[in-house]
């Protein structure tokens, strides 16, 4: 399956493509609310026209948690491409992508807890995953940093993500290549991945005010 994946959830943006066995990825750093120049971004992995886009069987983006503005922008951009070219669109969890990356590399049977920093100092995003179980992932939520962290460090769970000061440095945040690999794992040919159903997920009210 040929897959094109994007991530614009924070202070970096990344793009990744899989055509046959060829995997290409590109990443840039920027201010949190900035978005990449889409044409330039696509050009970096050899996509120069709509005909190049049509080679893909699935489009993917990280649905969050992350920057409200940036995720909404990438979702809107990809929905238009999906609709115009009739290519299925899948939105995947940034936290689940990071957990799947850890699982792929370590083949653990244990629960994997992911902690991702919020832009509020005493909060972080939390999710729990286990790819050996058929049950659905633990609900992703925004939680108090101190209380949740103490509960997790007292358990035997694996903890990854940039909200954890003892995390393995390889597993701080996910990117477009991680989303691509998770999407390939989750894809079910019996399901219909409609652009209308692929939406950002915000774990906090969009009208919240940052702490000063």
């Amino acid at each position: 399956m040929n897959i094109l994946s994007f991530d614009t959830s924070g202070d970096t943006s990344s793009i990744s493509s899989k055509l046959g066995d060829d995997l290409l990825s590109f990443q840039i750093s920027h201010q949190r609310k900035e978005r990449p120049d889409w044409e330039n971004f696509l050009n970096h992995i050899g996509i120069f026209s709509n005909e190049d886009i049509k080679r893909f069987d699935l489009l993917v983006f990280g649905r969050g948690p992350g920057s409200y503005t940036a995720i909404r922008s990438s979702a809107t951009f990809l929905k238009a491409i999906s609709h115009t070219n009739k290519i299925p669109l899948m939105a995947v969890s940034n936290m689940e992508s990071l957990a799947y990356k850890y699982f792929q590399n370590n083949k653990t049977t244990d629960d994997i807890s992911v902690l991702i920093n919020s832009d509020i100092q005493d909060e972080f995003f939390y999710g729990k995953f286990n790819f050996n179980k058929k049950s659905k992932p633990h609900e992703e939520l925004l939680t108090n940093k101190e209380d949740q962290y103490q509960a997790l460090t007292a358990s035997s769970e694996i903890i990854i993500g940039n909200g954890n000061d003892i995390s393995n440095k390889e597993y701080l945040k996910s990117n477009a290549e991680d989303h691509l690999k998770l999407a390939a794992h989750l894809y079910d040919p019996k399901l219909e991945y409609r652009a209308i159903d692929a939406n950002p997920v915000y774990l906090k009210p969009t009208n919240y005010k940052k702490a000063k």
Side-chain angles (χ1 to χ4, degrees), residues 20 27-28 82 170 185 207:
Q27 181 168 300
I28 57 172
S82 171
E170 294 180 34
H185 168 72
N207 62 346

Side-chain angles (χ1 to χ4, degrees), residues 124-141:
F124 56 33
F125 300 106
Y126 164 67
K128 182 166 67 175
F129 309 90
N130 192 313
F131 297 97
N132 291 284
K133 297 179 180 178
K134 294 183 179 180
S135 57
K136 292 184 178 180
H138 187 281
E139 179 184 7
E140 298 178 12
L141 49 87

Side-chain angles (χ1 to χ4, degrees), residues 69-128:
T69 304
I71 297 172
R72 181 179 59 183
S73 172
S74 59
T76 301
F77 175 69
L78 287 171
K79 282 173 179 282
I81 293 177
S82 171
H83 179 74
T84 300
N85 296 285
K86 296 181 172 54
I87 302 173
L89 177 62
M90 181 190 296
V92 300
S93 160
N94 287 61
M95 289 196 284
E96 188 174 4
S97 290
L98 185 60
Y100 186 66
K101 178 179 181 179
Y102 184 93
F103 170 74
Q104 279 190 306
N105 292 340
N106 297 277
K107 303 304 180 186
T108 181
T109 59
D110 298 327
D111 289 341
I112 303 170
S113 287
V114 181
L115 309 179
I116 299 295
N117 282 325
S118 166
D119 43 19
I120 305 272
Q121 187 173 1
D122 60 351
E123 296 177 339
F124 56 33
F125 300 106
Y126 164 67
K128 182 166 67 175

